Amino acid sequence: MNIKSATYVISSPSVEQCPSPEKREYAFIGRSNVGKSSLINMICNNTKLAKTSASPGKTQMINHFLIESIDEPTHKVHDWYLVDLPGYGYAKVALGKRKQWIKMIENYIRKRENLVNLFVLIDSRHTPQEIDISFINQLGEWKIPFAIVFTKADKSTQKEVAASVKAFLYALGADWAELPPYFVSSAVKYRGRKEILSFIDEANKSVEFK
Ligand code: GDP
């Protein structure tokens, strides 16, 4: 699959204000600084795209991008939404704001009927963090389809990345009978792009959608 165009649509303060749910939607979430903007830009082949949403006042919003992709080899065009969700785990953010964030994200994740998959980003250099594990376990309780993206793989050796992925999946394994799909990415090396796009492409073709 190739990206034909990627356009910023709108930033919404709540799920109720998001664009009407008539297209399949794929959202990205993770702790701040995990590499979410870089990953989105890499996926869309546009170095400035996610910066639009990082402008002041928009970082705490649900940011929609409209993507047109071309299927190979059929050349069929699919259009879908890519959503940049505000990052979690800001230590400095006041409790009130954090609670507001949790409510907004929970509402979005649970109510957005066209959400096909949530990509949860994890920094591949870190040991399993409680905040990520509990967020993922919460997704399980809510029965939200998700995949994990281990970011910044170029910053460590392959062996270290593999060990880190294994440790994270092992930490998850305590609560999961079946492990989720996962990807290893590097925005610097353009790693993981093809795999993530294929995953989206498959879902665009196969996930039932009215
Ligand atoms: P966000 O806060 O999650 O949107 O993270 P950003 O995409 O802004 O990335 C945070 C920092 O990590 C920036 O300095 C990026 O240049 C860097 N970064 C992001 N992805 C990668 C990557 O794949 N490899 C390397 N080496 N650095 C990355």
Side-chain angles (χ1 to χ4, degrees):
M1 165 163 100
N2 264 316
I3 301 292
K4 184 170 176 241
S5 68
T7 326
Y8 168 71
V9 180
I10 199 164
S11 298
S12 319
S14 71
V15 67
E16 287 78 17
Q17 282 149 284
C18 285
S20 78
E22 82 247 345
K23 299 176 196 306
R24 289 178 182 80
E25 186 156 307
Y26 302 86
F28 291 76
I29 198 166
R31 304 171 74 180
S32 59
N33 216 38
V34 72
K36 183 163 51 74
S37 306
S38 307
L39 181 79
I40 290 172
N41 290 341
M42 171 181 84
I43 288 172
C44 298
N45 225 346
N46 180 334
T47 51
K48 295 193 196 87
L49 198 70
K51 287 281 169 247
T52 320
S53 58
S55 60
K58 293 195 172 159
T59 48
Q60 291 303 304
M61 299 228 193
I62 302 164
N63 304 292
H64 274 78
F65 298 90
L66 178 63
I67 313 294
E68 279 186 308
S69 62
I70 306 174
D71 183 37
E72 302 289 348
T74 63
H75 296 287
K76 193 172 181 315
V77 176
H78 289 283
D79 50 356
W80 44 278
Y81 285 130
L82 183 155
V83 171
D84 184 2
L85 292 171
Y88 57 85
Y90 286 97
K92 290 187 224 98
V93 172
L95 189 64
K97 263 239 147 79
R98 225 155 53 210
K99 282 193 173 152
Q100 217 177 313
W101 178 91
I102 291 168
K103 199 72 223 155
M104 178 180 87
I105 293 297
E106 176 173 354
N107 273 332
Y108 169 81
I109 290 174
R110 301 183 78 180
K111 291 187 185 164
R112 190 70 174 157
E113 63 209 78
N114 57 332
L115 178 66
V116 173
N117 188 70
L118 180 65
F119 290 94
V120 182
L121 277 55
I122 304 292
D123 192 321
S124 65
R125 295 169 300 172
H126 296 163
T127 52
Q129 306 285 304
E130 172 55 31
I131 189 167
D132 294 318
I133 301 284
S134 60
F135 180 72
I136 289 177
N137 287 335
Q138 183 70 82
L139 294 177
E141 275 168 39
W142 293 338
K143 303 203 168 14
I144 307 296
F146 70 95
I148 301 174
V149 183
F150 293 97
T151 62
K152 307 188 188 182
D154 60 284
K155 288 204 178 217
S156 321
T157 64
Q158 282 214 13
K159 216 171 158 185
E160 285 165 342
V161 172
S164 181
V165 168
K166 198 171 164 193
F168 193 86
L169 295 176
Y170 184 78
L172 273 188
D175 293 289
W176 291 80
E178 201 181 315
L179 289 172
Y182 70 89
F183 305 92
V184 174
S185 78
S186 159
V188 172
K189 296 263 163 79
Y190 253 62
R191 180 169 173 197
R193 182 174 189 269
K194 210 172 104 211
E195 292 79 3
I196 293 169
L197 283 178
S198 296
F199 181 86
I200 292 174
D201 198 29
E202 278 308 307
N204 278 337
K205 285 189 230 166
S206 61
V207 172
E208 189 96 3
F209 198 77
K210 293 192 277 274

